[in-house]
Amino acid sequence: MYNLQALGYNEFFAGQQNNKQGKVGRIATASNGIYKLFTKNSELRAQLSGRFHHLAEHTRDYPCVGDWVLFQAIDGEDKGIIHEVLQRSSLLSRHAAGPKQEEQLMAANVDTVFLVNALNQDFNLRRMERYLMQVYESGASPVFVLTKKDLCQDKEIDEKVQAVEEIAFGAPVLAIDALHEEGLTSLKEYLHEGKTVSLLGSSGVGKSTLINRLLGQEVQETQAIRGEDAKGRHTTTHRELFLLPEGGVIIDTPGMRELQLWSGEEAAGETFQDVERLAGQCKFRDCRHEQEPGCAIQNAIASGELSDDRYKSYVKLQREAKFLDLKEKYGAHRASRMQVEELKKGTW
C-alpha cells in the first residue's frame, strides 16, 4: 500500500477528482504503452482506454512519468485501464530527436529539478544555461548540483561554483561528491514527503550514482566515464519514479548530449536576467547591440562585466526560442520563411 500524500497527491490534484469516476494513481514508468502505477492499494500495470487514444491529439495529451491519472482496476488482476490524466502542476519536456516538430515529455508534476553537472573537464556553462531555461519553462524550481568534487582542487571548485552562481540568479548551487557521500545533506531540504525531485543532466555526470546514494541502495547501473574526454555512457535508459526513504519521490531521466528546447522567449528572459537588464539600459530602444553608440551590452562586454560567450549564448537561445514560438503560431514552413526574411533585414 502507498500513501498518496507522501507521493505528492495534494489539494491541487484532489480538486480535479471531484465527481469523477475512477481511482487515482501516479505513473512510475512508461514504456511502449504500458504504465506502472503506484496506487493507494497496490502497484499495477495499466494501459490507456480506447476512448483515451481516440480523444488524444497531441503528445502532451498522453501520460508520462510523474503524472497523476484516473484509472479503473481490472477485477482479479494487478492491471488497470487509464481513462484520464489530471492537470499537471509542472511539465519538463524537450524537442524530440529528429527533424519533425515533436515534443518529448520527460517528467510531470515536479517541484524541484536537480540540474546535475560534473566539475571535471566536462564542465560546461553554456549547457547549464540551456538546461536552466528548460526548467524555468517547466514551472519547477532549479537547483544546480555539481558532482565529482573529489576530482578537483579546492580552488578550482570555488572558481567553478562562482561561475555557475553568476548564471544561476538565486538558484542554489551545491557542490557534492556522491561517490563518497560528501555534501549529500545539502540536498535533504528538497527531499520531503509529498515533494517530487527530478534529475536532469548529461551522460556521465553522476546522476545514477547520486540516485543510488539518495535511495540507499543500488537501483541504477553506473559506468566509468571515458578517460580522454570525461564523457559518459548512457546507463539510465528510461525515466523512472523512485520512492525516497524520507518520503517524497525522485525521478531519474536518461542522460542527454544536447537538450533541444521546447520553450519560448519568456523562459530565455528568466535565464538571462543580467543581459535583459543591460539591454534595458541601452541609449536607443531599438539597439541591436552591435556598433550602436550607448549600447550597454557592448560596454559591459568591453569592461568585463558581461562575458562575450554568455552574450553569444543569449543570442543563440533567443533566436531558437523565437523560432519555436513562430513555428507554434504559423507552422514550420512559414516560420522558416519569416526567419530568412528577418535575417536578410538584419532584425533576427
Side-chain angles (χ1 to χ4, degrees):
M1 295 180 64
Y2 293 98
N3 182 331
L4 296 186
Q5 283 68 37
L7 291 177
Y9 191 70
N10 55 36
E11 293 180 358
F12 176 78
F13 303 109
Q16 301 175 52
Q17 195 185 358
N18 291 339
N19 302 320
K20 291 183 179 179
Q21 293 184 343
K23 299 179 180 180
V24 65
R26 193 167 196 191
I27 293 180
T29 63
S31 178
N32 299 319
I34 304 296
Y35 302 88
K36 181 170 78 173
L37 299 183
F38 290 154
T39 76
K40 182 178 179 180
N41 298 318
S42 65
E43 178 182 311
L44 53 80
R45 304 284 172 176
Q47 293 180 277
L48 302 177
S49 69
R51 183 174 184 273
F52 192 113
H53 280 295
H54 178 72
L55 294 177
E57 297 180 357
H58 307 287
T59 300
R60 61 174 55 199
D61 293 334
Y62 287 90
C64 72
V65 173
D67 266 322
W68 287 99
V69 298
L70 297 180
F71 72 96
Q72 178 183 354
I74 298 177
D75 292 338
E77 301 183 53
D78 291 329
K79 295 180 181 179
I81 303 296
I82 295 172
H83 295 284
E84 183 179 344
V85 177
L86 297 183
Q87 181 184 343
R88 298 157 175 144
S89 60
S90 65
L91 177 63
L92 267 173
S93 68
R94 66 168 181 166
H95 192 293
K100 292 184 179 181
Q101 178 72 356
E102 293 182 356
E103 185 179 19
Q104 183 182 61
L105 307 186
M106 300 167 66
N109 303 313
V110 175
D111 298 295
T112 303
V113 177
F114 286 169
L115 293 166
V116 186
N117 299 269
L119 286 163
N120 59 9
Q121 59 260 47
D122 196 34
F123 182 83
N124 189 317
L125 284 173
R126 306 288 80 85
R127 185 193 301 144
M128 294 183 211
E129 289 169 343
R130 180 174 287 265
Y131 285 177
L132 180 61
M133 182 172 168
Q134 203 66 1
V135 175
Y136 279 133
E137 178 68 14
S138 76
S141 298
V143 174
F144 284 96
V145 178
L146 307 181
T147 60
K148 306 190 179 183
K149 63 181 294 187
D150 57 310
L151 302 180
C152 301
Q153 299 296 322
D154 289 345
K155 182 179 178 181
E156 184 182 3
I157 294 172
D158 292 341
E159 290 173 349
K160 288 182 175 179
V161 167
Q162 182 179 351
V164 177
E165 287 175 341
E166 290 175 356
I167 70 168
F169 292 99
V173 181
L174 309 173
I176 68 167
D177 172 10
L179 185 62
H180 302 98
E181 301 189 28
E182 181 183 344
L184 295 189
T185 54
S186 62
L187 306 180
K188 297 296 184 180
E189 66 175 284
Y190 306 101
L191 309 178
H192 292 303
E193 183 174 292
K195 296 297 182 181
T196 299
V197 169
S198 181
L199 303 185
L200 186 63
S202 301
S203 302
V205 298
K207 297 194 309 302
S208 295
T209 299
L210 179 56
I211 282 278
N212 290 339
R213 295 299 180 269
L214 293 175
L215 293 176
Q217 55 182 315
E218 300 294 312
V219 297
Q220 296 291 70
E221 181 184 355
T222 60
Q223 291 186 15
I225 58 174
R226 298 198 303 254
E228 66 271 16
D229 58 5
K231 300 293 186 182
R233 302 173 179 86
H234 294 289
T235 53
T236 302
T237 57
H238 63 279
R239 297 164 185 86
E240 185 167 358
L241 183 150
F242 297 97
L243 307 180
L244 289 160
E246 53 269 270
V249 299
I250 190 164
I251 299 174
D252 196 11
T253 61
M256 295 174 291
R257 277 278 161 249
E258 181 180 359
L259 176 64
Q260 296 189 58
L261 299 179
W262 189 272
S263 59
E265 294 179 84
E266 184 177 342
E270 286 191 74
T271 307
F272 293 91
Q273 298 173 37
D274 54 338
V275 182
E276 297 270 288
R277 175 181 55 80
L278 287 168
Q281 298 173 7
C282 290
K283 182 176 180 180
F284 301 105
R285 294 181 62 182
D286 60 348
C287 183
R288 291 165 58 187
H289 315 305
E290 294 175 352
Q291 303 296 328
E292 294 88 347
C295 175
I297 285 179
Q298 289 302 321
N299 290 341
I301 293 174
S303 68
E305 178 186 351
L306 176 69
S307 74
D308 188 49
D309 285 343
R310 179 160 172 80
Y311 177 62
K312 288 178 179 177
S313 179
Y314 165 78
V315 172
K316 179 181 178 181
L317 290 176
Q318 276 280 49
R319 286 176 175 173
E320 189 173 337
K322 184 177 181 180
F323 183 63
L324 287 170
D325 284 342
L326 289 175
K327 277 204 292 188
E328 185 174 346
K329 291 179 182 177
Y330 305 111
H333 182 66
R334 185 176 176 188
S336 298
R337 286 192 306 169
M338 295 172 71
Q339 183 184 43
V340 170
E341 290 172 0
E342 291 199 31
L343 284 170
K344 288 180 180 178
K345 296 177 184 176
T347 58
W348 186 274

